[in-house]
Amino acid sequence: MTGLGADDCSDTDLLAAIADGDRAALRVLYERHQPWLTARLRRRCSDPDLVVSAIQDTFLAVWRGAGRWNGTGEPAAWMWGIAIRQLIGKLRRKRLPTMAWPEVERSRITVDLTTAEDRVLLGVEHGDLAGALNGLSPELRAVVQATVLDGLTTREAARLLGIPPGTVKTRMLRARIQLRGALA
Amino acid sequence: MTTWHAPPDVLQRYATGDVDDVTACSLEAHLEQCAVCRSAMAASADPLLAEAMWDGIVDRVDQPRPQAIERILRRLGFDEGSARLTAATPALRVAWLAAVALVVGLVVLACQQTGSDATFLAIAPILPLAGVAAVFAPGVDPAGEIGSATPLFGFGLVLRRAEVVLVTSFATLLIGALALPGLDARDAGWVLPALALSCTTIAMVGRAPVVPLASILGGSWLVGVTVLTYLDGPGFGVADTIAFDAPVQLSFGLALAAAIAVVLRRSDLDLIDLGA
């Protein structure tokens, strides 16, 4: 980066620099985004090698495709879209038992919530959403997470979870009915 | 912008996979929007893993971008090495593809001018044969000398290249055939001879010199259909000769089946010295 400290640059500026072939900008972007992307992919794939390879391909795709970013929206969300699809592409090639859902105690975090987004997500405003989600079986929750939170299509979710697309649809339907009942 | 930030211990537990799903969902939605929490995660990330992954990325950034054909092969499920080696087939180079397209285009044009499909039907079986001969012939592939010194350079690779040649030539020919004047069922009669001639050549690799064999096979076909057309007298085209009748077509089919059987049964294929 010339003349600008790494901290001053927005992700959008970095992407513009990467599109011009600035490798230092890619490094800054990597340092900012690799940790959370890796952690998020790890929750969706139990094979650490596959996650590493997906992360590498993601930043390679960013390096080559930064010029294709349309400049609107959040670069982080754009990169997540690339990362999860890289992972799905690899899962398709290498049929693996996927989805290790760690069985941990269902401790709820108590935090000071101030924004609408966070209020909805932790279920202050619309009934107990967290409780309702926790009430879903792990299979149904995985489908809700893949389609709603990760923004995947039915087919992509099916590949990620290693189940047929029809099953994704029926599980989503069941999850919706169950959530509606729990939140009513 | 959000004013709330995830507690550091929750982020820490999320990074190690030690939070429940609902908390994880909530955090993930938040992380997508919040640069502060993302950098908090970056601070506690594993630096060794980060460096190792970065080295891998830089390594790939430095590599030349694979050719389009190689990327297509990768998508079709070839692994990286096979994709590169297959894409290095002379037949896949633009020059070869352009030459095939040019020949097919000119032949089809000539057929449309004369209103007869004779030229196309006579030439069509020769084109894939020439491609196959180029794959197997010594001296055509500039990397052949290097390739023959590697352990990977077995018959399997050459066979795969031959498949690619056949597929590309046939695709071009099929497109050309659709533009033929007065297209009918007999115009499909070039397919079996083309396959039979190419596969016979492949089956004989290592037992007979490739280029002379391909020349003899292709020459026989050309001379054969020319003589037959001449014998039929004026008013009859190439497609009217017995070469396009069911019995001859059937024997081309049988020859094709025999050639495929020979290729599949040959156990000495990996030992063939293609440089010879």
Side-chain angles (χ1 to χ4, degrees), chain B residues 13 28 42 105 138 150 183:
Chain B
R13 284 197 288 132
E28 284 166 0
T150 65
L183 194 67

Side-chain angles (χ1 to χ4, degrees), chain B residues 107-268:
Chain B
V107 166
V108 169
L109 201 65
C111 289
Q112 281 174 343
Q113 292 293 320
T114 57
S116 143
D117 47 19
T119 326
F120 182 86
L121 294 178
I123 298 286
I126 311 287
L127 271 182
L129 186 63
V132 168
V135 168
F136 288 99
V140 175
D141 181 2
E145 288 295 317
I146 303 165
S148 59
T150 65
L152 203 75
F153 196 76
F155 190 75
L157 169 67
V158 189
L159 203 58
R160 190 177 286 160
R161 286 183 174 184
E163 283 164 19
V164 175
V165 169
L166 285 180
V167 169
T168 49
S169 324
F170 268 86
T172 320
L173 283 168
L174 278 176
I175 295 169
L178 292 178
L180 283 180
L183 194 67
D184 62 20
R186 286 178 81 88
D187 285 333
W190 60 270
V191 176
L192 279 176
L195 282 172
L197 295 180
S198 307
C199 290
T200 307
T201 310
I202 295 172
M204 294 298 287
V205 166
R207 295 181 180 171
V210 177
V211 176
L213 176 70
S215 312
I216 291 170
L217 287 176
S220 313
W221 165 263
L222 264 185
V223 170
V225 290
T226 313
V227 169
L228 286 172
T229 312
Y230 179 75
L231 288 179
D232 280 348
F236 292 97
V238 169
D240 301 316
T241 61
I242 56 160
F244 290 78
D245 281 341
V248 180
Q249 287 286 314
L250 188 66
S251 42
F252 276 120
L254 290 175
L256 171 64
I260 290 174
V262 169
V263 172
L264 293 180
R265 281 182 61 88
R266 282 183 71 175
S267 55
D268 60 332

Side-chain angles (χ1 to χ4, degrees), chain B residues 22-97:
Chain B
V22 173
T23 310
C25 284
S26 175
L27 275 179
E28 284 166 0
H30 176 71
L31 280 170
E32 225 172 72
Q33 308 293 329
C34 178
V36 177
C37 289
R38 286 200 296 264
S39 56
M41 281 204 74
S44 65
D46 175 3
L48 282 178
L49 177 72
E51 282 314 310
M53 284 202 287
W54 174 253
D55 287 345
I57 295 169
V58 170
D59 209 32
R60 303 260 299 281
V61 162
D62 285 335
Q63 278 174 16
R65 184 137 196 228
Q67 294 174 313
I69 183 69
E70 201 176 318
R71 293 202 300 274
I72 293 170
L73 290 171
R74 287 292 301 273
R75 288 198 159 241
L76 291 175
F78 284 65
D79 63 72
E80 195 176 338
S82 311
R84 172 127 344 138
L85 282 165
T86 311
T89 307
L92 279 178
R93 294 220 193 86
V94 179
W96 167 264
L97 280 177

Side-chain angles (χ1 to χ4, degrees), chain A residues 23 27 30 44 57 112, chain B residues 4 28 50-51 54 60 62:
Chain A
R23 198 178 291 190
R27 172 74 200 196
Y30 174 80
R44 283 153 183 80
D57 286 357
D112 176 31
Chain B
W4 174 83
E28 284 166 0
E51 282 314 310
W54 174 253
R60 303 260 299 281
D62 285 335

Side-chain angles (χ1 to χ4, degrees), chain A residues 159-182:
Chain A
R159 278 192 204 124
L160 177 67
L161 303 175
I163 53 177
T167 313
V168 172
K169 281 186 198 156
T170 50
R171 284 190 186 166
M172 193 60 209
L173 194 70
R174 274 164 53 206
R176 210 174 277 150
I177 292 167
Q178 205 175 321
L179 283 176
R180 202 173 288 148

